[in-house]
Amino acid sequence: MNEENMLNVPNDLWPIADMFFQGLGAEVNMNNEDEVALLFRGFFLLYLTVVALAIITFKLGFARKLPLLQNIIVYGVLVVGTFFLTLILGLNLPIAESLLASAIVLGIYRIRLHRERESRNESSS
């Protein structure tokens, strides 16, 4: 087999990336359409996971009310940025896992903040 047409897949992927890239093995034959399709499907699913978790994390922790056009620009930059982040570092670093942990922590924080504000409003009225 021609060595140039083989793409090595790391065998020590982080759990979420490993879940999406199951079934590929250690090498992907770039001449085999099925293997290339599995590779692209795995990357696309990892990318969508990173985008969804990045949007949730941004919305829970950092988002402010903005006009519609500025909102579109912010989320557009977020989607493009996560593409490059996933493409370059998605298999080597736990990006999805880190965003998941951030979303959980920020979600707990927002729930507690909401409950505290409700109890403060009830006690003041």
Side-chain angles (χ1 to χ4, degrees):
M1 184 91 27
N2 191 354
E3 188 70 29
E4 295 174 7
N5 294 330
M6 300 299 281
L7 179 68
N8 291 330
V9 178
N11 59 355
D12 57 346
L13 296 174
W14 292 93
I16 293 177
D18 190 40
M19 178 179 66
F20 293 134
F21 287 98
Q22 275 182 337
L24 279 179
E27 292 182 331
V28 175
N29 182 1
M30 298 305 282
N31 293 327
N32 186 342
E33 290 181 18
D34 293 333
E35 290 184 15
V36 173
L38 275 175
L39 179 69
F40 281 121
R41 181 189 61 90
F43 174 77
F44 186 68
L45 291 174
L46 180 63
Y47 170 67
L48 288 179
T49 303
V50 170
V51 167
L53 290 171
I55 288 173
I56 291 168
T57 301
F58 177 74
K59 191 74 174 161
L60 287 173
F62 308 105
R64 291 193 164 95
K65 290 193 177 200
L66 296 173
L68 180 62
L69 183 59
Q70 287 179 348
N71 236 353
I72 292 171
I73 291 171
V74 166
Y75 286 108
V77 169
L78 185 75
V79 167
V80 171
T82 55
F83 176 77
F84 291 113
L85 193 65
T86 306
L87 183 64
I88 296 170
L89 302 172
L91 297 180
N92 299 325
L93 295 175
I95 295 171
E97 290 84 357
S98 301
L99 286 169
L100 181 63
S102 299
I104 290 170
V105 168
L106 288 170
I108 291 169
Y109 168 74
R110 292 291 289 241
I111 289 170
R112 290 188 62 191
L113 184 65
H114 180 70
R115 287 182 182 169
E116 184 180 313
R117 285 181 181 166
E118 280 183 350
S119 65
R120 195 179 307 151
N121 287 342
E122 288 176 4
S123 66
S124 66
S125 54

